[in-house]
Amino acid sequence: MEHHGEELAGWCEPSWVICIPQQAVLHSVTFTLPLVEAHALRQCGTPGQYVSALCGESVVYQIAGEESRAILANQEKGSEVLVSKATVLNEYLVTVKDKVIHLLLIDSLLSTGLDQDEKAIQHLPASSITSFAQAEKFLQKFSCHQPVLCEMEQRIRDASQHLHPANDVDQMQNVLQDLLIQCWEDLLKRHSPTLQTHTSFQDLLFRALDYYVGGRLHERLWWLVCERCQVVDQLVKTRLSHLRLANLSALQLGVPPNYYTPLPAAVVEMASMAAVESGVGRLQCVYSTIDLIQAQAKEARVTLHQYQDQEGEPELALSQEELVALLTTVVVQAQCSNLVTNIYYMTHFVFSVTEDDPLWRSLGLLRLALENIMKLDVARLPPSTKSLRKELSLQDLMQVSAEVESRFEAKGASRSIGDITALDLQLHQLTQQIQLSTQAHSETHLTKRNSAGRRSDRTSMSPTQDSGKVQSFREFLANIPSSLRESLRRRQSQQRSAIQSSLNG
């Protein structure tokens, strides 16, 4: 009590009751501020019911009975309500700093929710947060977070007042950084000393706040960033459209033909970025796209290696040049809208990712892909080894099937010929499906389509090279690096040291 006089003076009669477990219970317990706050009970709206200073309304306590009074704690866990009981041994009125404090001596610790900390420590190595839903669930998982989360809602509303065209969008970095650091510190202080100083938990909590706060402010913040980048974004959008019409492929960007393979899953993942409502969420989407590219490319190489009965282990590692080339084609096929805005947004408004994090490296690769896109001149690219049609009639499909099958039949039992590629293997599988499907419809009338005629005027299109606009784009891109990242790391390190010192003191 001597160490927490300031807090006790604020928890005075008639609204508050302070519970003190008997000495035998406290023998092996560290008497910390969160533990004190958990035993400070404030009357709520219903007579005889209380909530604690630590857990707020997430745990409801009821003081019942006349003789041998008991404190019942009702804590909701999903669809269940857990009830625990502590018996009141005695009660006192004491004066602290001219304030009357109502004390109840109880026979055991109250059910406070601090036992969740021990369970959390056991699961931390396997814990990760990759979405807004996971972040929200994590923050609401701990009963002690409830009061801070209620205060945080007001802080988020206050921060949103800064999001209007009259304010510089870059100034929002300072506003959001202050908000995240303050909420992070307030939440940490409500946990046990072990969890407060657990580095993995500190990082996980900060990542959850990055998702949560960024998600709550996303709509207005995204609009401001779009306004900032709209001119350059339009230039990139035009270039993406031309490259897609020209059927840009990774082969033209230097990826070895025998390793080239379509990347539909990566294209879908990249295209889905527009639906993610936070900077760190969109960065996670870029990371997942690159992960899918690597996985699909490695699978193609393993399949080809096995088919050709080659000696040794297949070469699975992609060089950075190959990875950027494949990512470039994925971005073109996905036709990512607001690509520059996304890069600007992720650079400035992702606070929980350090420079050595794989997520941050994925953003660097996306920037390299964007630079590639702006440098490409379709007219000067090497021609594709074979033109691919976007639209095929049934007759076209059967012709392709026959050509592919003839290659595999000519090859015979030997697998030493090196002209079979990963794409050929995929076509081989597709042709078998085509044959099965067409056998059931053998009487179908085949009609010829002059698809090539419709395509001939599109494949030759090339974006107009405007050196002035491209130079402006490069200058804009060069100015994107965030200026606050170093200051954020320094402030977070200082806060960690302060928390550690307060616990040691």
Side-chain angles (χ1 to χ4, degrees):
M1 290 178 60
E2 296 175 358
H3 301 292
H4 302 287
E6 292 290 340
E7 291 81 7
L8 290 174
W11 299 328
C12 59
E13 274 267 288
S15 299
W16 292 84
V17 174
I18 313 300
C19 300
I20 306 293
Q22 61 182 335
Q23 190 63 38
V25 176
L26 296 175
H27 180 68
S28 59
V29 176
T30 304
F31 212 55
T32 61
L33 180 58
L35 188 64
V36 173
E37 291 179 335
H39 286 77
L41 306 184
R42 175 179 55 83
Q43 291 190 42
C44 55
T46 305
Q49 290 192 348
Y50 298 77
V51 295
S52 72
L54 179 73
C55 299
E57 296 179 359
S58 59
V59 183
V60 177
Y61 300 87
Q62 185 172 4
I63 301 178
E66 296 299 332
E67 295 298 328
S68 299
R69 299 171 70 194
I71 303 177
L72 303 178
N74 302 311
Q75 187 173 8
E76 292 187 9
K77 291 288 187 180
S79 59
E80 299 180 354
V81 177
L82 304 182
V83 180
S84 60
K85 176 182 177 181
T87 302
V88 178
L89 302 176
N90 213 334
E91 60 183 304
Y92 310 90
L93 293 176
V94 299
T95 301
V96 178
K97 296 188 176 182
D98 299 326
K99 301 290 186 180
V100 178
I101 309 299
H102 189 177
L103 300 180
L104 296 181
L105 181 64
I106 56 179
D107 67 343
S108 62
L109 290 170
L110 293 179
S111 176
T112 62
L114 288 175
D115 55 339
Q116 295 175 305
D117 288 2
E118 296 302 319
K119 296 178 182 178
I121 291 173
Q122 298 172 9
H123 295 94
L124 275 176
S127 299
S128 63
I129 294 175
T130 58
S131 69
F132 179 89
Q134 288 178 349
E136 186 175 35
K137 183 178 180 181
F138 176 81
L139 292 173
Q140 294 176 350
K141 171 183 177 181
F142 298 92
S143 301
C144 61
H145 287 181
Q146 189 63 40
V148 177
L149 293 179
C150 292
E151 296 173 6
M152 196 166 72
E153 292 303 317
Q154 183 57 50
R155 293 176 183 175
I156 291 174
R157 285 192 290 270
D158 293 341
S160 68
Q161 300 304 312
H162 294 267
L163 293 171
H164 53 80
N167 283 349
D168 184 357
V169 66
D170 292 340
Q171 294 295 326
M172 282 306 300
Q173 276 191 300
N174 294 296
V175 174
L176 293 185
Q177 176 180 272
D178 291 342
L179 174 58
L180 285 171
I181 287 285
Q182 188 60 57
C183 292
W184 177 68
E185 184 179 13
D186 288 348
L187 288 170
L188 269 181
K189 286 181 176 179
R190 307 187 79 80
H191 288 280
S192 64
T194 304
L195 207 53
Q196 283 190 47
T197 55
H198 199 295
T199 303
S200 296
F201 178 75
Q202 291 178 344
D203 291 339
L204 196 64
L205 181 61
F206 201 64
R207 179 65 58 85
L209 286 170
D210 201 354
Y211 269 100
Y212 188 80
V213 175
R216 295 296 305 278
L217 295 172
H218 166 77
E219 187 173 348
R220 297 180 66 180
L221 182 59
W222 174 252
W223 181 80
L224 288 178
V225 179
C226 283
E227 287 288 303
R228 173 72 180 268
C229 304
Q230 62 179 342
V231 175
V232 183
D233 249 334
Q234 187 58 45
L235 179 64
V236 174
K237 181 179 179 181
T238 303
R239 180 61 57 89
L240 286 173
S241 177
H242 281 296
L243 290 175
R244 187 176 187 183
L245 289 175
N247 292 323
L248 177 71
S249 74
L251 296 174
Q252 295 172 287
L253 302 179
V255 175
N258 56 327
Y259 289 152
Y260 171 66
T261 182
L263 302 166
V267 172
V268 171
E269 182 69 15
M270 194 71 194
S272 70
M273 182 168 62
V276 181
E277 296 188 342
S278 70
V280 65
R282 295 195 175 200
L283 185 56
Q284 179 68 46
C285 192
V286 176
Y287 174 80
S288 299
T289 298
I290 293 173
D291 199 37
L292 284 169
I293 291 173
Q294 292 178 314
Q296 290 176 270
K298 288 177 181 178
E299 181 185 15
R301 293 184 177 194
V302 168
T303 304
L304 185 61
H305 186 84
Q306 293 173 340
Y307 183 83
Q308 294 181 339
D309 287 341
Q310 296 181 11
E311 296 291 333
E313 296 296 325
E315 176 58 48
L316 297 181
L318 294 172
S319 67
Q320 178 167 297
E321 290 74 18
E322 291 174 336
L323 187 54
V324 171
L326 290 170
L327 179 58
T328 299
T329 60
V330 166
V331 171
V332 169
Q333 291 174 44
Q335 290 293 287
C336 300
S337 58
N338 305 112
L339 189 56
V340 177
T341 301
N342 271 302
I343 291 178
Y344 193 100
Y345 187 51
M346 290 183 283
T347 302
H348 285 75
F349 299 105
V350 174
F351 299 96
S352 62
V353 178
T354 58
E355 279 68 18
D356 56 352
D357 193 301
L359 286 178
W360 196 251
R361 180 176 176 269
S362 68
L363 179 58
L365 293 174
L366 181 61
R367 289 184 59 157
L368 289 175
L370 178 56
E371 292 175 6
N372 258 5
I373 287 167
M374 296 309 295
K375 289 187 294 186
L376 286 175
D377 182 357
V378 176
R380 297 183 180 181
L381 286 176
S384 299
T385 55
K386 186 176 182 180
S387 61
L388 300 177
R389 295 184 178 185
K390 286 188 176 183
E391 300 175 21
L392 295 173
S393 66
L394 187 56
Q395 183 171 345
D396 291 330
L397 288 173
M398 295 186 68
Q399 182 178 351
V400 170
S401 173
E403 291 177 359
V404 172
E405 287 302 304
S406 66
R407 294 189 63 193
F408 279 80
E409 290 171 1
K411 193 171 174 46
S414 172
R415 295 188 173 189
S416 59
I417 302 175
D419 62 345
I420 299 296
T421 68
L423 184 57
D424 289 328
L425 293 177
Q426 289 193 341
L427 286 174
H428 182 47
Q429 295 170 355
L430 288 173
T431 54
Q432 292 176 334
Q433 296 177 21
I434 292 170
Q435 289 173 349
L436 291 174
S437 64
T438 54
Q439 285 173 1
H441 303 279
S442 56
E443 62 269 50
T444 303
H445 297 287
L446 303 180
T447 57
K448 292 185 179 181
R449 296 182 186 177
N450 187 16
S451 303
R454 292 198 302 271
R455 291 189 303 275
S456 61
D457 60 333
R458 297 189 307 183
T459 54
S460 62
M461 292 180 67
S462 175
T464 304
Q465 296 295 319
D466 188 325
S467 58
K469 288 183 178 179
V470 173
Q471 182 61 31
S472 298
F473 164 80
R474 289 173 180 165
E475 291 174 357
F476 185 90
L477 194 62
N479 290 328
I480 282 184
S482 169
S483 59
L484 281 182
R485 302 195 64 77
E486 184 177 347
S487 118
L488 173 64
R489 302 298 160 225
R490 185 169 57 252
R491 283 190 59 193
Q492 196 174 9
S493 177
Q494 291 170 350
Q495 297 291 69
R496 282 177 164 169
S497 299
I499 291 170
Q500 180 72 56
S501 298
S502 68
L503 292 173
N504 293 338

